[in-house]
């Protein structure tokens, strides 16, 4: 599936919002965005609607579209929802795992460990989680998890950016090893602990 101009605009703006370079309350002006991406207003509007759908922007009458506020109190809820939904997805993924899925998970794990900065690490960490869950083949569940990943990422950048250091993620390695052994219960327990770990 080829990437559209709306996809490009959405990806670029969502990354800026997640990393905090577009702060909460910042106005997202259609004309400025259209100029930056040399696009018409149609894909810009589509990208802004997608930002709203994922909770990254809010449209207000007569005030336009702005970056949505970050609520510090929601992080506990986000973590608990991730635990419930990701464990559910991983449980179902195990019934459909192929050797290729395990290889893809190992590659994603190594890429995440090799990240040189927090923005790359966060994107690759999200990719790792997506890779291990995608075999569940439950698109609604995966879409809900994607939204939770976006919310969690914003909180990570807001609270943890100054403390980030490159490291090997032993939980990711243990999950892949459990996938190799086809140990669904073990993998789910590691994932549950991994998501609850305070960064």
């Amino acid at each position: 599936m080829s990437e559209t101009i709306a996809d490009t605009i959405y990806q670029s703006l969502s990354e800026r919002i997640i990393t905090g370079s577009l702060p909460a309350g910042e106005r997202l002006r259609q004309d400025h965005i259209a100029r930056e991406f040399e696009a018409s207003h149609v894909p810009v509007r589509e990208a802004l609607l997608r930002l709203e759908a994922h909770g990254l922007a809010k449209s207000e009458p007569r005030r336009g579209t702005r970056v949505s506020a970050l609520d510090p109190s929601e992080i506990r809820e986000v973590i608990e929802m991730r635990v419930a939904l990701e464990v559910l997805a991983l449980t179902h993924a195990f019934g459909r795992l192929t050797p290729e899925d395990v290889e893809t998970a190992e590659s994603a794990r190594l890429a995440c460990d090799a990240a040189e900065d927090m923005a790359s690490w966060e994107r690759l960490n999200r990719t790792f989680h997506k890779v291990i869950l995608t075999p569940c083949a439950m698109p609604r569940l995966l879409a809900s998890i994607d939204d939770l990943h976006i919310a969690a990422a914003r909180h990570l950048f807001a609270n943890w950016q100054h403390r980030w250091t490159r490291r090997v993620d032993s939980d990711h390695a243990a999950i892949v090893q459990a996938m190799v052994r086809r140990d669904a219960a073990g993998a789910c327990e590691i994932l549950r602990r991994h998501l609850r770990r305070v960064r």
Side-chain angles (χ1 to χ4, degrees):
M1 195 171 68
S2 62
E3 190 173 85
T4 66
I5 185 68
D7 293 332
T8 304
I9 296 168
Y10 167 76
Q11 293 295 345
S12 177
L13 294 179
S14 65
E15 189 153 317
R16 291 181 217 176
I17 294 169
I18 287 167
T19 58
S21 67
L22 272 175
E26 181 89 5
R27 179 100 182 266
L28 299 168
R29 297 175 188 274
Q30 283 195 30
D31 49 344
H32 291 186
I33 296 166
R35 260 201 309 278
E36 180 186 344
F37 290 93
E38 298 178 347
S40 74
H41 281 249
V42 175
V44 174
R45 270 198 298 275
E46 188 185 320
L48 293 179
L49 287 170
R50 281 167 65 184
L51 290 173
E52 281 190 69
H54 291 292
L56 293 172
K58 194 171 170 56
S59 180
E60 297 171 347
R62 294 183 301 283
R63 295 192 68 210
T65 304
R66 293 176 184 271
V67 175
S68 59
L70 197 59
D71 179 1
S73 67
E74 78 173 5
I75 190 58
R76 177 54 48 195
E77 181 184 5
V78 168
I79 290 168
E80 290 306 320
M81 286 178 72
R82 280 190 69 184
V83 169
L85 298 187
E86 290 195 39
V87 168
L88 176 65
L90 190 60
T91 302
H92 284 276
F94 261 80
R96 308 169 66 99
L97 271 186
T98 65
E100 290 75 32
D101 292 328
V102 178
E103 278 177 35
T104 305
E106 175 66 2
S107 299
R109 175 187 82 79
L110 293 171
C112 185
D113 286 349
E116 300 279 353
D117 57 75
M118 187 170 173
S120 302
W121 170 82
E122 191 283 319
R123 196 168 53 251
L124 292 163
N125 180 60
R126 243 191 297 169
T127 299
F128 173 80
H129 282 261
K130 188 176 275 194
V131 161
I132 65 171
L133 304 177
T134 296
C136 79
M138 299 169 87
R140 284 190 180 195
L141 178 59
L142 292 169
S144 296
I145 290 167
D146 273 349
D147 281 351
L148 293 169
H149 282 176
I150 288 169
R154 281 191 82 189
H155 285 281
L156 268 181
F157 275 96
N159 301 310
W160 196 54
Q161 200 160 7
H162 59 291
R163 295 202 302 262
W164 187 83
T165 52
R166 184 177 169 183
R167 66 187 173 84
V168 170
D169 196 315
S170 56
D171 286 348
H172 286 182
I175 288 168
V176 174
Q177 283 309 306
M179 290 169 78
V180 171
R181 296 192 308 272
R182 294 293 192 271
D183 176 8
C188 288
E189 192 45 51
I190 297 159
L191 181 61
R192 194 177 282 115
R193 187 186 69 220
H194 175 68
L195 293 173
R196 287 211 172 107
R197 182 171 290 149
V198 177
R199 289 282 171 198

